Amino acid sequence: MKNSAFLYFLSLMLFKQKSKHIGSIVISVVLIALISSVFFISSSIKHSLKLTLKTQPDFVVTKSTLDKSMDSSLVEQIASIRGVTHINARVYGRYFFNNKGKSFLIVGIDPFEESNAKWLKSLFKDIDIDKFLSGEYMIVSSQVEKFLSSHFFKSSYTFKLPKGEFRHIKIYKTIPTQANLIANDMILLPIDTAKEILGIAEDKVTHISFDVPNDAEWQNVKTVLYDKFLNINVVDKKEISSYYDEMFAYKQGMFLLLYLISLVTFMMILYQRYSSVYSVDKKEIGILRALGWSIKDILRLKLSESFIVAMVSFVFGVFIAYIYVFVFDAPLLKYIFFGMDNLSVDIKLVPYIDMGMIVSLWLLYTIPFVSAILIPSWRVATTSAKEAMK
């Protein structure tokens, strides 16, 4: 059969029977858009986190006991280990806002420490370190600023100290929203001020971070730390990256399972529908067989028809998912990954597409869809033309 005649007949069939395909396309677009949105969100967050991890220290040491504070003397002891560089002590802790159930992550840093100074200058080109060090100012995330403003703390906040005293701190700057992935509820303070607010002794710290430039020495450094100090946890960037991969794989897997259940149900309905092919469709195949069309030609026609429907559905579904995630920032659906227990999330999802995921999703959808249409059509096409036209 000439290709021009085949293509003309194919386009004629698609146009004439468009109402038959609309239902399949709508359901397919919804399923594909939903699962694509989940994959887009997950891929974007994982990509952004891995870029962020590259700028973070190689190791973080914390205490494994209920009392998370450590003697600051550990900083010098860890610095003496061979291969350790850029060591830095920090203070982390949660500060709860009255009885509202909301909390802020207080992070106390030493702005004169090299890595901290570089990080602050990367966020704020015009930052005055001396002014920040005065202890009267804090740097907050955009969501913390919004939350405080909604509770009538426009430009400052009065912290209640563990001893019952109060400390008035002014807002110096706001962390850019592009850093909200790791700083959504963060308040940066000079380390001494943070200790005062969190009730941590002056000679204590909660986190010690450092770098080990030689990757081959990572395991050796961890072994030395565990042998030398008791009740500590040592976490490296590879472990953090693996943790995020497992967490997002779990959430992706849950949605993928729901998608597969929905897809199988849809394909069973589609297969059942085409297994009891309408009399018009049977007569159509019978007429084509009577006109000399081979079984191969009929299957080619049905394959092309179902492939075009699948392609249109897939392209529209992925396009809608892209607009929903990267233009509108995935309202509602992104909270599955970030949660809503604390402050609301204000994060701009960076466009990032895993092409391997797109190809896998395409095959996972197209093969069952085409098979659900092609197999019943083949069963009719293999019968005699007289029987098909009855």
Side-chain angles (χ1 to χ4, degrees):
M1 178 182 295
K2 293 183 179 180
N3 286 333
S4 58
F6 177 83
L7 292 175
Y8 174 76
F9 191 77
L10 174 61
S11 60
L12 192 65
M13 279 190 61
L14 288 171
F15 180 77
K16 181 182 176 183
Q17 301 178 356
K18 59 181 182 293
S19 59
K20 184 177 73 173
H21 301 302
I22 288 177
S24 300
I25 291 175
V26 170
I27 296 174
S28 298
V29 166
V30 171
L31 289 174
I32 294 167
L34 180 60
I35 192 65
S36 298
S37 296
V38 172
F39 283 149
F40 283 159
I41 295 170
S42 177
S43 298
S44 176
I45 297 172
K46 285 169 64 177
H47 176 68
S48 298
L49 283 173
K50 289 187 176 182
L51 290 178
T52 302
L53 278 176
K54 290 181 180 180
T55 65
Q56 299 301 306
D58 294 335
F59 288 86
V60 176
V61 178
T62 59
K63 204 72 175 291
S64 60
T65 57
L66 291 177
D67 180 10
K68 298 300 181 182
S69 59
M70 301 177 286
D71 289 333
S72 55
S73 60
L74 264 65
V75 175
E76 294 181 2
Q77 296 179 52
I78 294 175
S80 65
I81 298 175
R82 184 178 179 181
V84 172
T85 62
H86 301 122
I87 191 163
N88 176 33
R90 291 187 178 185
V91 171
Y92 283 73
R94 282 281 164 188
Y95 180 88
F96 287 86
F97 181 84
N98 296 333
N99 59 348
K100 301 291 184 180
K102 306 296 183 182
S103 65
F104 310 131
L105 176 63
I106 302 290
V107 180
I109 62 173
D110 179 3
F112 287 118
E113 198 281 327
E114 184 180 356
S115 61
N116 290 333
K118 287 183 179 179
W119 182 59
L120 286 174
K121 288 179 179 178
S122 69
L123 294 177
F124 314 104
K125 295 181 180 179
D126 58 341
I127 188 169
D128 185 345
I129 297 294
D130 292 332
K131 185 176 181 180
F132 178 62
L133 272 177
S134 68
E136 302 299 324
Y137 294 92
M138 60 182 174
I139 298 173
V140 302
S141 70
S142 58
Q143 290 304 97
V144 170
E145 183 183 40
K146 188 183 297 184
F147 179 82
L148 291 177
S149 180
S150 68
H151 290 80
F152 308 104
F153 297 98
K154 299 293 184 182
S155 58
S156 62
Y157 181 68
T158 302
F159 291 91
K160 185 176 181 180
L161 307 183
K163 295 181 179 180
E165 301 172 348
F166 294 91
R167 183 70 184 273
H168 188 73
I169 306 290
K170 300 175 184 177
I171 295 176
Y172 178 42
K173 286 185 178 293
T174 302
I175 300 173
T177 54
Q178 58 264 32
N180 275 0
L181 188 60
I182 60 171
N184 190 67
D185 58 355
M186 184 181 291
I187 295 178
L188 291 176
L189 289 162
I191 190 166
D192 292 334
T193 308
K195 288 180 180 180
E196 184 181 1
I197 292 173
L198 296 173
I200 297 174
E202 292 184 5
D203 60 343
K204 301 286 186 178
V205 295
T206 61
H207 291 65
I208 300 174
S209 62
F210 58 89
D211 292 329
V212 178
N214 186 357
D215 290 359
E217 295 181 350
W218 280 28
Q219 188 57 46
N220 181 56
V221 169
K222 289 183 72 172
T223 302
V224 170
L225 285 170
Y226 281 122
D227 289 342
K228 194 171 184 179
F229 306 106
L230 295 175
N231 302 321
I232 62 168
N233 283 326
V234 183
V235 181
D236 61 58
K237 289 197 292 190
K238 294 177 183 177
E239 290 176 315
I240 297 174
S241 180
S242 298
Y243 166 76
Y244 283 127
D245 286 339
E246 290 176 5
M247 181 180 69
F248 287 119
Y250 171 76
K251 293 187 176 183
Q252 280 183 331
M254 292 297 293
F255 266 89
L256 185 59
L257 179 62
L258 293 175
Y259 169 75
L260 289 174
I261 293 172
S262 302
L263 184 65
V264 168
T265 304
F266 175 51
M267 294 307 164
M268 289 177 65
I269 295 172
L270 199 64
Y271 180 83
Q272 183 63 30
R273 173 187 169 186
Y274 279 87
S275 292
S276 54
V277 184
Y278 299 129
S279 58
V280 175
D281 297 321
K282 284 185 175 181
K283 288 181 180 180
E284 181 182 88
I285 294 175
I287 291 171
L288 292 176
R289 293 282 285 125
L291 291 175
W293 281 49
S294 65
I295 296 175
K296 180 181 178 181
D297 290 334
I298 292 174
L299 292 180
R300 181 186 171 197
L301 177 67
K302 291 298 180 182
L303 177 64
S304 302
E305 180 184 3
S306 58
F307 184 82
I308 290 173
V309 173
M311 175 66 78
V312 170
S313 303
F314 189 81
V315 170
F316 268 97
V318 172
F319 176 75
I320 290 172
Y322 186 93
I323 297 297
Y324 172 74
V325 173
F326 298 124
V327 175
F328 296 104
D329 284 329
L332 299 180
L333 200 55
K334 68 180 177 183
Y335 294 111
I336 294 172
F337 292 90
F338 295 114
M340 296 182 66
D341 292 338
N342 202 28
L343 304 186
S344 60
V345 179
D346 181 21
I347 293 175
K348 182 68 177 176
L349 294 169
V350 179
Y352 180 79
I353 299 176
D354 183 354
M355 292 309 300
M357 177 272 293
I358 294 292
V359 173
S360 299
L361 187 59
W362 161 250
L363 294 175
L364 194 61
Y365 164 71
T366 305
I367 292 175
F369 183 86
V370 172
S371 300
I373 296 176
L374 201 61
I375 293 174
S377 300
W378 170 78
R379 291 172 57 188
V380 175
T382 53
T383 60
S384 64
K386 182 178 180 182
E387 183 68 23
M389 288 187 289
K390 283 184 179 181

